[in-house]
Every structure is written in structure tokens, then in C-alpha cells.
Amino acid sequence: MNDLIIVAGVGFLSGITTVVFGFGGGFIAVPFVYHFILYTANLSPTESMIIAVATSTAVMIVNTGYASYKSHHGQLIKKEIIFPLVIFIGLGAIFGAYTSTLLHGDKLRYVFFAYILFTIIDCVFRPGFITEATDAKKLKVKESATLGPIIDYIAAMLGVGGSVMTVPLLRRKGYDMNVCVSSANPLAMPVAIVGTIMYAILGHSQSFGADYVGYVNIHIFLALTVFGFLGIVASKKYLPKIKDSVHAKAYICLLSIVLISMMV
């Protein structure tokens, strides 16, 4: 019963962060699933981390899909941001998922940790993120072609949807935080879909039990998805509009909390 309450709470929180920060639930789900599997199943840290990343990636399909649908109706998604970046961002997930299965021991967790730490430092000390939004500049095709596969590769490897690269990228192009996080969700869809398929295939030879499809834990996926959906609905209905500069600072604060959780 206690486990169900914890999973429900984490799922609900992942839904909220999907709407407010464009995380797709990844940065909430990965640390939780890692610790949950590590302490409730007879699995190694390596297996627990890969399962966490894979399950988080699967959850993102539902979270980012529904959040994107709602943001589209709210006219927060701009086509000039999504295209052509979404085309190039779908190229790296296959290699990212494969790389994660090659990182043994705590290496994948260390990469996850380093990625968040670097992002926090970059957002705090490099100008353009915390400051108020300015006149937006459209992404060039060359930038999309260069950054898209890199974002997708890292996102699929860590199960985070790529928002921690796309949000700062769009922020420094002068977009409002609401636009940045709303755009992060549809941009995460290629990562989520391709990544989940790859984790299901790559983990096919593993014998984790009937609860799994490859590396994806079905029971945790369903629980996080259901309560994540409720979190998204509640966020859209009840959360007030956040001031732009406060929104940016809150983004950094949540990343810091995630970082601490992975240190424990």
C-alpha cells in the first residue's frame, strides 16, 4: 500500500513537471524508478538504472503526447520552433539507447549526474537563461541539423526527453519560458517513441520476469502514466501563470533537487 502511495505521488508530480518544465516526467521518474527497483527487486545498480531510464522513456510517450495536445490547443507551440528541429532530433535515439546498455556499474548514473550538474552550472553562469525573454530568434536549419541528433542521443541514453537541452537552447534564442517548456514536449516525442522501442528490443534477452517488456517495467509504467495524466490535468486547470524570470529560476531549483536525489 505504501509503495502504491509513493508511486502515485511521483506519477502525479511527473505530470506537473511535464506541464510546468517540459520534462516529460523523465527527471522525476528516473531517480525514483532507480531507487525503487534497487531496493525492492533483487537487481544490480546497473540493471536498476537501465530499467529506470527505459521505463521513464516509455512514460514520456503518454506525458509528452497529452501535454503537447493541450499546449497546441492553447496556442503555445510555435511551428518555427518545432520544424525542422523535430526532424533532426529523431536521429540519435537508437544510438543513445544502445549506449546506455553498454555503461556498466554506476557509469550511467554518473553520466546522468554529470549531465544535470553541467546544465545547472550553464543555466546559472552563462547569460541568457535567467533573464527575461527578449525578441525571439528562429533556429537556423544548420543549428537544428547539428544539435538535433546530439539532443536525441543524450535524451534517449538518459531517459529525460531532451528538455534540459531544448529549453535552455530556446531560452537563449529569446523565447518565453512558457513557449520553451511547451515546445520541449513535442520535441521529446521522437526520443520517447524510438527510445522505448529500442529498450524493448535491447532488453528482450533479459529475464526480469512477466512485469517487463525488455527493460521497461510495465507495472511502474502504468502507474506513473495514470497518475501523471492526473497531474497534467490538474496543472492545466489549477496552476496559475508563473512570472517568466521566476519560472526560469524554479527550473534550475528542480534540477538541483533531482541532482541531490541522485547523490543519495
Side-chain angles (χ1 to χ4, degrees):
M1 185 64 181
N2 289 336
D3 289 347
L4 178 60
I5 294 173
I6 294 171
V7 173
V10 171
F12 191 80
L13 182 60
S14 74
I16 293 174
T17 61
T18 296
V19 173
V20 180
F21 300 108
F23 285 168
F27 278 101
I28 301 299
V30 170
F32 164 72
V33 178
Y34 169 73
H35 289 295
F36 188 84
I37 294 295
L38 188 62
Y39 292 110
T40 60
N42 187 27
L43 296 175
S44 69
T46 298
E47 293 169 324
S48 298
M49 190 63 190
I50 295 176
I51 290 168
V53 170
T55 305
S56 168
T57 304
V59 170
M60 283 192 297
I61 295 177
V62 180
N63 281 6
T64 59
Y66 184 72
S68 298
Y69 170 77
K70 297 298 289 184
S71 294
H72 174 69
H73 277 267
Q75 298 183 331
L76 288 172
I77 297 177
K78 297 183 179 295
K79 290 183 179 179
E80 68 268 21
I81 295 176
I82 304 302
F83 298 100
L85 184 57
V86 71
I87 298 172
F88 296 106
I89 213 169
L91 299 177
I94 294 175
F95 302 102
Y98 179 69
T99 300
S100 72
T101 64
L102 301 178
L103 296 176
H104 300 291
D106 276 340
K107 290 180 181 178
L108 184 58
R109 188 164 66 95
Y110 294 151
V111 172
F112 187 94
F113 177 90
Y115 177 58
I116 301 174
L117 180 61
F118 172 80
T119 303
I120 293 171
I121 293 172
D122 180 67
C123 289
V124 172
F125 294 103
R126 190 155 68 99
F129 186 83
I130 297 179
T131 55
E132 295 281 353
T134 57
D135 293 333
K137 300 176 183 178
K138 185 178 179 181
L139 275 172
K140 298 177 181 178
V141 175
K142 185 177 180 180
E143 289 178 299
S144 298
T146 303
L147 295 173
I150 296 173
I151 292 171
D152 200 25
Y153 174 81
I154 295 174
M157 179 172 63
L158 302 179
V160 295
S163 61
V164 178
M165 293 185 73
T166 55
V167 170
L169 171 65
L170 297 175
R171 181 67 172 166
R172 290 195 173 90
K173 284 292 180 180
Y175 289 100
D176 183 274
M177 277 296 292
N178 281 332
V179 173
C180 292
V181 299
S182 296
S183 300
N185 284 314
L187 288 173
M189 286 298 291
V191 180
I193 294 171
V194 177
T196 299
I197 293 172
M198 285 302 298
Y199 282 118
I201 294 172
L202 291 170
H204 181 69
S205 60
Q206 303 296 322
S207 55
F208 295 127
D211 293 346
Y212 290 84
V213 173
Y215 287 111
V216 179
N217 185 299
I218 298 301
H219 287 174
I220 295 178
F221 161 75
L222 290 174
L224 291 179
T225 297
V226 170
F227 290 102
F229 173 79
L230 296 177
I232 292 173
V233 172
S235 300
K236 289 289 187 181
K237 190 171 182 179
Y238 297 111
L239 284 184
K241 181 177 174 61
I242 306 172
K243 185 179 177 182
D244 189 64
S245 59
V246 175
H247 201 168
K249 292 173 183 175
Y251 185 93
I252 297 172
C253 287
L254 183 58
L255 286 182
S256 300
I257 293 172
V258 173
L259 182 70
I260 293 170
S261 74
M262 290 305 290
M263 291 172 61
V264 176

